[in-house]
Structure formats: C-alpha cells, structure tokens
Amino acid sequence: MRINYDKGGLIRPDKIQLPRSTNFKESSSKAKILLVFPPDWYPSEPYLSLPTLTAFLRSAGHDVVQKDVNLEMYDWYFSRDFLRRILKKVPQQLDRLKKIGKSRELTDAEVDLQLALCNCTRGYMSDLAERAEKAKEIVRSQEFYESEKLEWVMNTFREVTATISLVYAPARICMPPMETDLSYKLFMSSEVLEAVEDTQVNVYRDVFEEILKPAILAEKPDVIGISIVLRQQLFSSMTFCALIKEQFPDIHITIGGNTVTRLREVLPDTPKLFALFDSAIVYEGETALLRLLEAIGSDGDLSHVPNLLFRDAAGIHVNSESYAENMGELPPPDFDGLPLEKYFVPEPILPYLATRGCYWGRCEFCDHGEGYTAGYRTKRDWQIIEELTYLKNKYHARSFHFTDESYPPALFRKLTKKLIESKLDIAWTTHIRFEKSLLEDQVWADAQTSGCKFLHMGYESGSERVLQLMDKATTTEVIQRSLELSSQHGVWNHVMGFFGFPGETYQDAKFSIQFLEDNREHVHSIGFGTFDLSKHTPVAKNPEKFGITYYKNPEWDLALDYYFTVKEGLSVEDAERVFEEFEQNHYAGWDLKIFIREYVFLYVTHFGTNKLPSLQFRLDSHDSSSKLASV
C-alpha cells in the first residue's frame, strides 16, 4: 500500500478553525497523557519532542506527564542497584552457556564470554558500582571540566556497559548508545517482533518493569505517546508497546517522531507490528496529538485526526488530511517534570527550535524535508529572544542548543545582533551551511559576542565537482574562509562530511582529505562517514540522474536505506576503504579524548576558547593508531 502525503492535502492554519475550545478542559473531561522518550540516546540534554508537545497540550488544558525513560535508564545502569542485579544474573548466564555446551561445542566468543563472566566476582562488581556512582557525581559537577577526570568517567561508563552486556549477551550494550545492538535486524519487522519477546537479550523488558511500569501505575494515563527519533529506538519502543498492551490493554498507545514519519508507507503493511500500538502520528505532532486526545475523549472517531494512521476492528486506516503548524503560534517548550539535574552534564543544556524545515532544501543527499508537509517556516527574531529569556530565567539555564535543520544565514545575522542588544548572556550551538553571505568579519564578531560557541558545519566534500553534484551551492573558497573566521573568533567548528556520493571519484575524495589537512589550523573536529542511500533522498527518487542502481529486499520491510551500485566513481566498498584510510592517517589533532558534542560545547563555553589541547590525544601528527573523533 502506498500512501501519498503530498502538499495538496495540507490543512493550513489560516484555512481551518481548530476546535480548541471543544476539548477535555471545557467538557470537564480533560485527558491525561504520558509522553515517553525511549532509549537509546546519549543523556546529555532533553530531546525537544517531549517538551514541545507538553507545552502545546498543557496550553489546551490537558494533563501531561513527560518521562525521559532514556535518561532514567542510564541513571539506573550506572547505579549500585542495577549492578547488584547484574551480579545475580551472572549464574543464570553461566547456566545458559553450560546447557548450550551440552548440545554443541561452544564458539570462541561463547568461551570468551564464560571467562569474562567468571571474572564478575562480588568484589569486582562492588568496586565497579562505586566507580559508576562516582562517575555520575563527576559528570554532574564542576569536576566535569577536569579533562582527565572526564576521560576516566567515559572509560568507567564503557566498562559498566561492557559488563552489563555479559549477562544480556549476545546483545551488546554500548557507550556511546548508538552502538547498542540486540543482535536482531532493525530493518525487518519480523526480527523486531522476535527481539521484543527475547528475554535473554532484551534489556528493555527490565527497563519497562523498573522505570516505565511504576510510572504508569502511579499516573494512570488515558494515553501514552512514544517519540521515536532514531530507528534504533524501535527495539525499546516496541518492547514498551507490547508490555503496555499486555498489562494495560485499555490505554491508547500512539507513536510518533522522525522514524515513524519515514516509515509511514510501510506501517500499514505490517499488521503484526502495528498490533503493538493503536495509532501513529506522522509529520508534525502538536495539533494531531491534540485532536487525537479530543477524539478519544468524545466519540472515539479518529478518522478526522490529521497526520494519523490508526487501527481498529476493521483494520489499519490512513487519514488523508495533514496539518502543518504555524511556528509563530506555538508556545515555548515546557521542561516541567523532567529531572534536569539528572542529565549527564554539570549544568543544563536546553534545546530550542526557531525554524522548521530547511531554508535551502536542495541537497541531493538529504532527506530531512521528509519530516514536514509544509516548507520552511520560522519564528520572528523578537519572539525567539522573548522565549529564550523566559527559558533562561525559568530553568536557570545559560546553555542552549538550537536544533534547527540548518540555521538560515539571515536569521543567524539578525539573532546574533538581537542577543547582543538584549544582553541575554547565553552560550549557544547550532548547525549551519557554508554560506557566502556569512563571510564578513563583523558577522563572526557578532556571533562571538552573542555567545555562539560551537557550530556543526556541513562540509560534505572538498571537491568542487562533487559539491556541484550535491547541489550544495558553495565553494571551497567559501568553506576555507568560513573556517578561518569561526576559528579566529573563538567559535569551535565541527566539520561533517562523507565519502562515496554517487559519481565521486578517488581523486575527489583525496581532494576532500587534502583540503582538510591544508586547513587543519582552523578545523577543530571532524565527523566523517560514508554515503548512505536513504529511501527518501532525491538521489533515491532519481537514480538514473545519478547513475545508480539500488536493491530492495522484500523481506527488509523496515529498511530506510539501500545498497546500491554506481556506473562511475567510488562503489560502496571503495568508499569504505577510503574512509578507513582516512581514519588511520588523518591529522591526530582532530582525535578527541572526549567525543560527546555537548561536552565539547560546554568546554569551549567554560574555558572561553576554542583552543583546547586538554581534549586532544597527545599523538604524532599522523599516528596510525589514532581514531576518528565521532562527535
């Protein structure tokens, strides 16, 4: 089944009068909703989806409880309580391996697992628990700014997650979280369903019992909403959905978020997966979720809720109406109820979104536009300042992460001046393109004065030819000058790129590498990888134009990217080899002991400089053992 959400079906805010007054508040039957952010994500700041939805629903009179289960899970992982539980599970895992050994010879990996489990003595686990608790204290205190201590913290976290992995093997619980692997394929709904039921590897079943279930019992919500940002979160989210359906069948479960939107065409054809929840909201969620609550609280007719897929006795339905929000009418995010003091930072970092969509929206490799049915929209500069002032004062926060897709250059120039005029005194980070219109020295002087500390910059390639293929509409001259200006004005630049865009040659890739090496004095950190052919990108939609052929495996129903071959240039395998070569031989100054982006941002803010040798490994400039910083 193919669902076509084109802009022709869009309900615009100025064309419809929403029944905001006909809600639970007016009818004395307001809804209670529990909003959940699931694992796995690094717990350094709140993810913005929950506070944004919370603000909107509370302004309409509904009772909202927001719960960052991801944060609470990591707080639990690094605790005496959880590690005591792990110690009790060690004999069970050894017994499991012993039974396997009676039916067949253990693999080398299983033998290694046995030996590692035998080293999990009571004394070792007690010491590890003490170190884990100490690590959390450090990361939440001013000791965070002592780089040697912070490096010890990260090593301790990795040791704890490696130890946790022993009892959930063959699953791997990792730090950083994005590397966690339950040993099932995320791109197959059948395997996601198997993972949900696998009590050996599925740590999220224990997380549900310890963290989410007590909250459900205490709050007794009418509706539970789960925000799924990364595809990796499908494991935890579907586990939670299954257990909620099993133990609390009367609660309506709705899912939403970036991954759900990208799977919108697939979900109606996966009835077994859809059976774990009741509805799915695609694209923007504020009005859709409000209308869903109103429908559940009145006649139960969900057929007119925009942006909704839902299930009833007759099957799975796809509503045709879609709705895009007016940014100027949305309230600022509401963080009340989130334990800001528990995030793994010494001071709160608050996310804030001033725009939706990308003002450029032409990069051939990018699918970020899939998250919206309407184009680029923004709040007014004065409104942004008012809301930042409100959030700073209410939550005693000075550090902000502007999570916009790519900060528009005109707004960047306006906002820096407004921040200076308002004397707001904040530190901020965001994501930008290399733009010719930002090459004035005064632009960067204003950025520095306004509190801009860290920028994610979309480099992609150092080859003019490849930049043109990508429709980046920038040049290496603009990139070079931007790096010089940001560096000279104390703004840390994190340069992001990849190898293997269709048509890129080995020579093009060498240009990219050499450009960075030639400008390493002004490049602070890098984040590189290889090109992924995501199903919603312009490249995938126009394969002939880019000379590619891609392959769909019908069993891989949840696949969001495809393997492909090229007529010219680097193959997928060639790009991997170039990347590995770059990892081994790049400038060692880009290798950071601390690789969490929010941590680098806080360090630049705290020390007031983008020259931070304490964060670098002390290696020779081209040490082959160095590893690529992955911020």
Side-chain angles (χ1 to χ4, degrees), residues 5 11 18 20 33 53 56-57 62 223 252 254-256 279-296 301-302 304-309 319 321-325 330 356:
Y5 278 97
I11 308 171
L18 289 176
R20 297 268 173 96
I33 182 169
L53 292 169
F56 191 83
L57 296 177
H62 295 290
V223 177
H252 183 101
T254 189
I255 62 173
S279 64
I281 292 175
V282 298
Y283 301 117
E284 297 169 70
E286 292 91 344
T287 294
L289 188 52
L290 174 63
R291 297 279 291 274
L292 176 64
L293 293 182
E294 293 172 350
I296 291 171
D301 180 6
L302 307 186
H304 300 294
V305 177
N307 302 359
L308 192 74
L309 286 63
N319 291 350
E321 294 178 347
S322 58
Y323 187 88
E325 304 295 338
L330 295 178
R356 287 194 180 174

Side-chain angles (χ1 to χ4, degrees), residues 117-133:
L117 286 164
C118 290
N119 290 327
C120 292
T121 63
R122 188 175 300 276
Y124 169 74
M125 296 298 285
S126 177
D127 173 68
L128 184 61
E130 292 301 317
R131 287 189 283 129
E133 294 282 5

Side-chain angles (χ1 to χ4, degrees), residues 197 205 209 240-249 253:
E197 299 300 326
R205 296 181 70 93
E209 293 295 332
F240 294 164
C241 287
L243 293 174
I244 293 167
K245 275 292 157 212
E246 178 184 305
Q247 301 181 35
F248 304 94
I253 304 172

Side-chain angles (χ1 to χ4, degrees), residues 459-473:
Y459 169 68
E460 325 312 352
S461 175
S463 163
E464 298 272 0
R465 191 182 75 86
V466 174
L467 290 172
Q468 290 175 6
L469 288 175
M470 295 175 174
D471 201 7
K472 287 288 293 183

Side-chain angles (χ1 to χ4, degrees), residues 488-507:
Q488 291 166 5
H489 287 282
V491 179
W492 185 285
N493 56 68
H494 178 67
V495 176
M496 301 175 292
F498 55 86
F499 303 110
F501 185 79
E504 180 182 31
T505 66
Y506 184 73
Q507 189 63 41

Side-chain angles (χ1 to χ4, degrees), residues 500-503 531-534 537-551 562-568 570 572:
F501 185 79
F531 173 72
D532 290 327
L533 181 62
S534 299
T537 58
V539 176
K541 293 175 181 178
N542 301 280
E544 299 84 5
K545 174 183 176 181
F546 295 93
I548 67 166
T549 302
Y550 62 89
Y551 305 88
Y562 305 124
Y563 178 80
F564 65 97
T565 57
V566 296
K567 290 182 179 178
E568 298 178 354
L570 297 173
V572 171

